[in-house]
Amino acid sequence: MKHRRLGLTVLAVLLLCSAVLGACGGKSGKVKVKVGEVTRSIFYAPEYVAMGKGFFEEEGLEVELQTTFGGDKTMTALLSGAIDVALVGSETSVYVAQQGAEDPVINFAQLTQTDGTFLMARHSEGTFDWNDLKGKVFLGQRKGGMPQMAGEFTLKKHGIDPHGDLELIQNIDFANVASAFASGTGEYVQLFEPQASIFEKEGKGVVVASFGVESGLLPYTVFMTKQSYLTKNREAVQKFTNAVYKAQKWVESESPEAIADVIMPFFKDTDREIVVSSVKRYKEQGSFATDPALDDKEWSNLLDVLDSAGELKERIEHGRIVNNEFAEEAKRKVK
């Protein structure tokens, strides 16, 4: 009887230990971080490098990645607690702040520093001029999203009224813009890679300009989380940022071919040639941030873009929803 009670006690202790380990991140003992990315894009190559090269694991993290398709859906997932960290345009954190959120969303690690879209024409007409768009049908992106705002910002810079000088279509869901163009909608379209390169290869269009080059440096895609999560999980956020910086340094030093080899598992249905050309295009125009810090100048440019689009109610100060402490610590620690 005594042995039976002892056995039950040991079993209870084992179950308790199992529960504690589970709460801490599972059998691996690593801390689990649920990440939601706004879309699956070669534009986010450093994120996939951090996973593919094992940089998150080196920091003791187990990253669970899901694609949430669209800034509004990604932010909803973050605010509801369905994910811990969001990879999305920093304009979404501004929208949350403008609504007076008690638990603000904090930008802590920048991944991309330019717009990631390209202007594609259905037919090549020789040397491109921005005035070629006047009177044409332009298939843009969702109103209020960074691709659309950066696109309109660029058009205005070239003296084009987006809503007066051309027929602007922006009521098509983000995930369906490419297929709409492929089916015949629009004479020009704004697309991310690898879709732009795929369409060029298939003869469905020609890239004539880069919105990334035209709109300047922006905190275009940033890892962010709620202030409450950041406060309770500072160590995990620091480790996460360290891994991101390791990936950024690796991407900066390696060739498009080497980067493509690492991220191919995330793009199994895409030809390696297309992945390489997409990475090359982004590297050449400096789209990948070289460190996770989000500086004042980039933030100011972001607010200018939002203001131009009529989406800015107030100029949210940089320090209010940006925390560079983790980025600066990563830059000190990661060599």
Side-chain angles (χ1 to χ4, degrees):
M1 191 70 173
K2 184 184 293 185
H3 292 298
R4 184 182 177 188
R5 285 199 301 270
L6 179 61
L8 289 172
T9 301
V10 170
L11 178 60
V13 170
L14 288 173
L15 288 172
L16 177 60
C17 290
S18 177
V20 170
L21 286 172
C24 293
K27 295 179 181 179
S28 67
K30 292 183 172 63
V31 176
K32 180 178 285 188
V33 180
K34 294 178 291 184
V35 178
E37 58 176 7
V38 66
T39 188
R40 176 60 52 88
S41 175
I42 293 170
F43 190 40
Y44 307 150
E47 175 190 36
Y48 311 126
V49 165
M51 298 184 73
K53 294 289 290 182
F55 295 146
F56 286 123
E57 291 184 0
E58 286 179 7
E59 293 290 332
L61 302 178
E62 180 185 336
V63 169
E64 181 184 289
L65 180 64
Q66 57 182 285
T67 306
T68 39
F69 293 111
D72 51 349
K73 295 176 182 176
T74 304
M75 188 52 64
T76 297
L78 181 64
L79 294 176
S80 68
I83 57 175
D84 304 313
V85 172
L87 177 64
V88 64
S90 51
E91 80 284 355
T92 56
S93 65
V94 173
Y95 296 153
V96 172
Q98 289 183 158
Q99 293 168 6
E102 293 183 4
D103 191 3
V105 173
I106 306 299
N107 300 268
F108 68 87
Q110 182 171 326
L111 193 75
T112 63
Q113 60 185 10
T114 73
D115 183 282
T117 60
F118 298 88
L119 177 64
M120 172 162 277
R122 191 171 294 281
H123 305 290
S124 176
E125 300 176 358
T127 303
F128 171 72
D129 187 288
W130 285 93
N131 288 313
D132 294 341
L133 274 71
K134 291 184 176 180
K136 302 294 179 26
V137 180
F138 180 81
L139 183 53
Q141 299 281 340
R142 177 181 61 84
K143 185 180 184 301
M146 273 307 295
Q148 180 62 30
M149 291 189 293
E152 291 194 20
F153 186 76
T154 297
L155 293 175
K156 290 174 184 176
K157 188 178 81 170
H158 287 280
I160 298 172
D161 179 353
H163 300 277
D165 292 336
L166 45 79
E167 182 182 340
L168 179 63
I169 299 175
Q170 54 182 153
N171 60 352
I172 297 175
D173 187 68
F174 176 83
N176 298 321
V177 170
S179 57
F181 184 74
S183 66
T185 301
E187 296 164 271
Y188 289 88
V189 66
Q190 186 177 356
L191 292 177
F192 282 92
E193 289 286 16
Q195 199 60 60
S197 289
I198 291 173
F199 277 4
E200 281 191 319
K201 185 176 182 180
E202 295 175 347
K204 294 178 180 176
V206 179
V207 170
V208 294
S210 164
F211 287 107
V213 170
E214 295 290 337
S215 56
L217 293 180
L218 290 163
Y220 200 83
T221 325
V222 181
F223 287 108
M224 59 188 71
T225 189
K226 291 186 292 186
Q227 179 64 62
S228 57
Y229 180 87
L230 188 152
T231 301
K232 295 175 184 176
N233 301 275
R234 291 188 64 85
E235 185 177 355
V237 173
Q238 185 62 66
K239 290 179 176 180
F240 189 97
T241 308
N242 293 346
V244 170
Y245 185 41
K246 288 178 184 179
Q248 289 172 324
K249 287 169 64 68
W250 192 89
V251 166
E252 185 181 13
S253 65
E254 294 294 332
S255 68
E257 290 78 11
I259 296 167
D261 288 340
V262 173
I263 70 174
M264 277 305 298
F266 298 90
F267 300 93
K268 293 179 180 178
D269 297 328
T270 306
D271 291 342
R272 182 177 180 277
E273 175 187 341
I274 293 293
V275 176
V276 171
S277 68
S278 299
V279 171
K280 185 173 185 291
R281 193 169 259 164
Y282 282 133
K283 274 181 71 77
E284 287 179 345
Q285 68 179 36
S287 288
F288 303 132
T290 54
D291 67 62
L294 195 170
D295 67 38
D296 289 296
K297 187 175 180 180
E298 291 172 315
W299 187 255
S300 181
N301 196 24
L302 167 72
L303 297 183
D304 289 343
V305 170
L306 267 67
D307 191 30
S308 176
E311 299 290 345
L312 191 66
K313 295 180 181 177
E314 60 173 312
R315 291 188 75 86
I316 308 292
E317 292 183 7
H318 175 271
R320 184 170 155 190
I321 54 175
V322 175
N323 188 329
N324 277 331
E325 293 177 15
F326 303 95
E328 295 302 333
E329 180 64 15
K331 288 163 67 176
R332 284 191 291 269
K333 292 177 66 174
V334 177
K335 303 301 180 184

